[in-house]
Amino acid sequence: MAKKSIPGAKVQDRIRNIGIIAHIDAGKTTVTERFLYYTGVIHRMGEVHDGQAVMDWMPQEQERGITITSAVTALPWRNHDIHLIDTPGHVDFTVEVERSLRVLDGVVVVFCSVGGVEPQSETVWRQAERYGVPRLAFVNKMDRTGADYEACIEQIRVKLAARPLPLQLPLGVEDRFAGIVDLVEMRALRWHGEDLGATYDVEEIPADLADKAAIWRERLIEALADEDDAIAERYLAGESLSRKELLPAIRAACLSNRLIPVLCGSALRNKGIQPLLDAICDFLPNPLDLPPVPGSHPETGEAVRIERESSAPFSGLAFKVQLWDGRKHTYLRIYSGSLGVGEVVYNPDKDADEKIARLLRLHADKKERIQRAYAGDIVGVVGLKKATTGDTLCTHKAPVIFGRMQFMTPVISIAVEPKTSKDEEKLNEILAKMVEEDPTFTVTEDHDTGQTLLSGMGELHLEVIVDRLRREFNLPVNVGKPQVVYRETLAGPCEARERFERSFEDGAKNMFAEVALSAHPLPRDGGITFRNELTLPPDQTIPEAWIRAAEEGAREAAGSGPVTGYPMVDMAISLVDLKSRDGETDEMAVHIAAASAFRSLCQRGGTGTLLPIMALEVVVPDEFTGAVIGDLSSRGGKVEELLRQTHRSIVRASVAMTSMFGYSTDLRSLTEGRGTFTMTFQKFDLQK
């Protein structure tokens, strides 16, 4: 495992905080496994399909052959410390990608050479784009039948609206794939099979590829000339350009996100990994390459910019919480300063002090205790009791709050109960800890049945949670059938008036308030707005606290719709009248009257139930396209796009979640097991 050099700014240019992101099955974890092997961190490569990959350490990951939780490790390469996060590709676990990208400095986006830019590829790309994270692209699986490097590059250009900069060409394709042509140094690299890809030969470019390589190198230099004046002058003068001159230009274009360097290989066949490690060191940023971290002062709200220096006051972001051996572990990215065991830090999000009990260097599920960590490090912390995902940690002398993360809305629920009543308290305690771990997982109680409802991103997400309850926490539970998470909205404009009046005979103060509200629907994703539209005589005023109480009462009542019990959305509420009595009207009375008025206007105007509408992409062999489209139509789905590729079709549709239970089984049956699909939440809307 990589050891930290002398702390401080001098070593930060040797740090790379990177992640690997991709569509499911593109080969992220296999790439990571090769990284670990070639850097000497492990001495035996495990395979994802055998359940032996180091980074897929959870039993649920090993059994399913997929990554579920992001795992952190550190690698030494060319005197650099590469801190790496391997993230899931399955859409149900997109939260792991979101919170990892929030703290990473650069990412490697892995594409399948056959599938190209797939649905989750687009999702993770947009997430990286939102945080402005510099990217490298690695076209994997060049040994697969149907591999098409050039088509993948074109899809990156068209589907992702990016400017790919190919630095390599494949040396052979499909079962003849043997290595790569390096367009920067104009040489060929050919890997050996007998030593698991640990060594390769450097050769002249084969004659049959020489002309093509010359053309692609010319394109490479032209693209760089558009971005770099020095390169442009040399190019226009007809001068040759060396690796030493090209690398800084490629790096600058990558850091600015103007160009995306593209490499290729086959991780499973151990080809192309070492040049990818070199590219990470050469082109992705170190912490000092990036601008100061933007934040705000927790009290004044004024903008604050944090310099990424070890000599500055400490600041960091808690980006993940995980239960490990029954204890809470917090993953922390340190942006500035340093942090030591036993020190007390300030959490401005919770307005609380927290003590650092342990600091850990992480390697998947293994932990190494350290005494101090510095700016640029990603570490595990034990002892933080109140910190949750997205919380800032800093000092009282230099307080700051970094921006919060955005997480997707759960769309599916199941009911659970312990097999024995004595385990009910234990279940509640465990679920509370799991909610703290996962911001896309929620726990609520059904008011009608008293059942505990677990809500998540999809069937697999909830399946893994239940499996963890049974296996990790030794808590057997009964599970109900999956249910869809709904929303409600008003069917039309309406108005209602309600009076709250209570008299007390024991001498206590009587209570009175009368509130009239009006409301009307808003377009989808309009949220809930509240306006004060009281018309008062010039000599009369209403306390602001009463206005706030009316709003709080209405919003509280909107948290549970009259039909489904799920939250109400997309409506504008107005306070149109508020009657009071001297000595009897207070905030509580107004709050209660407003909540009652809101419930009444919902009864009068009626409500509509909004279903979660999913964006579906199905990839099938051509001969099954008609059957798949017919099946989607029978489910009420709307086919929005049909793309034809070599021997396969891509069907894109929108469909209500309610009709998609068990779809994976039905699709396998329709396509003889050859169809695949990806489904992501799109919006809440009325059933068309």
Side-chain angles (χ1 to χ4, degrees), residues 23-27 30 110-116 118 139-149 170-178 264-269 271 619 645-646 648 674 676:
H23 185 87
I24 191 170
D25 287 336
T30 304
V110 179
F111 298 95
C112 172
S113 63
V114 179
E118 299 174 278
V139 180
N140 192 25
K141 303 189 179 183
M142 288 304 306
D143 59 308
R144 286 264 311 268
T145 301
D148 193 332
Y149 181 61
L171 191 61
V173 292
E174 299 182 343
D175 59 352
R176 302 187 312 282
F177 178 69
C264 65
S266 170
L268 187 63
R269 304 300 173 207
K271 297 169 184 174
V619 181
Q645 295 184 350
T646 306
R648 69 176 192 167
R674 296 164 63 192
T676 61

Side-chain angles (χ1 to χ4, degrees), residues 484-498:
V484 172
V485 172
Y486 298 99
R487 294 289 184 268
E488 282 188 63
T489 192
L490 290 173
C494 48
E495 187 172 332
R497 177 185 296 271
E498 288 293 335

